[in-house]
Amino acid sequence: MAYDSAATKARLLDAAYDEFVRLGLAGARVDRIAKAASANKQAIYLYFGSKEDLFDAVMTDRLRVLADVAPITADDLPGYAGALFDALVADPGLQRLSQWRALEFPEASEAEIESHVAKATEIAESYGVGLTVATDLMMIALGASMAWNATAPRIRNPLDESEDRRLAAHRHSVVTAVTALTEALTAHH
């Protein structure tokens, strides 16, 4: 059987995602990632360079997937908030990985800053607001979308409703809140 480097890389990214979601960069172990991926530990260093570079590759890969599933729509932040909420509920590991990233690397990279400014600029143009207000809108939409996974189950569902019904109600609240905020902030500009 021929060696398939693309398949090995994909298995390593998937195994690393699981390990980083559970333990963050500091707690993750290269030997566990390699074993879970049915790969040689040296393959990680060959393909990715270091554990930190592997973490960056996993972040890039998963953010690309997230952007495909929930693309930011500059002229429809409530729709974006709803789509992002759906994506994060479907794969809570995406949010947890982002939280590990923020804890272990609190400074944004130049690429992240450029991407953020580009998105905020589009929002500013779509809603006719300044860059600061557009940034706030984007951050609040993101925060609202992440609130479900960031809250303990018994707190987010105090009446013990069916999970599907409670989830739908919360999603509606996220979209409604982002709509109201967007309308309020853009009405003054």
Side-chain angles (χ1 to χ4, degrees):
M1 185 162 121
Y3 182 73
D4 185 350
S5 64
T8 301
K9 286 180 190 177
R11 286 194 319 273
L12 285 168
L13 285 170
D14 287 343
Y17 173 70
D18 292 341
E19 180 85 357
F20 291 137
V21 164
R22 282 185 326 107
L23 301 166
L25 176 63
R29 296 291 171 257
V30 173
D31 55 336
R32 282 194 302 253
I33 294 169
K35 183 178 179 182
S38 301
N40 186 311
K41 185 166 114 174
Q42 282 69 33
I44 292 172
Y45 300 109
L46 174 68
Y47 294 132
F48 301 102
S50 68
K51 184 170 77 166
E52 291 78 9
D53 292 336
L54 177 59
F55 186 86
D56 288 342
V58 169
M59 282 296 302
T60 299
D61 179 59
R62 295 302 168 140
L63 290 176
R64 188 176 303 120
V65 168
L66 184 58
D68 289 343
V69 173
I72 190 160
T73 46
D75 62 342
D76 183 15
L77 280 177
Y80 166 68
L84 182 58
F85 173 80
D86 294 340
L88 294 175
V89 167
D91 186 356
L94 293 168
Q95 184 170 334
R96 188 157 182 175
L97 185 67
S98 293
Q99 290 168 325
W100 279 118
R101 161 66 176 78
L103 287 170
E104 297 185 273
F105 300 103
E107 294 300 319
S109 69
E110 287 303 314
E112 289 171 313
I113 292 167
E114 287 175 22
S115 173
H116 172 82
V117 170
K119 290 173 188 171
T121 300
E122 288 179 37
I123 292 167
E125 291 170 0
S126 290
Y127 286 100
V129 296
L131 191 59
T132 301
V133 171
T135 297
D136 289 345
L137 286 169
M138 195 164 64
M139 288 172 25
I140 292 167
L142 178 63
S145 300
M146 295 172 73
W148 181 265
N149 287 341
T151 307
R154 286 293 296 143
I155 293 171
R156 68 185 183 212
N157 192 2
L159 300 178
D160 207 23
E161 298 176 62
S162 82
E163 185 74 11
D164 289 343
R165 199 162 121 214
R166 181 65 189 104
L167 197 61
H170 186 78
R171 184 191 194 282
H172 177 76
S173 294
V174 168
V175 172
T176 300
V178 174
T179 299
L181 179 67
T182 302
E183 289 172 355
L185 288 177
T186 58
H188 296 100
H189 291 86

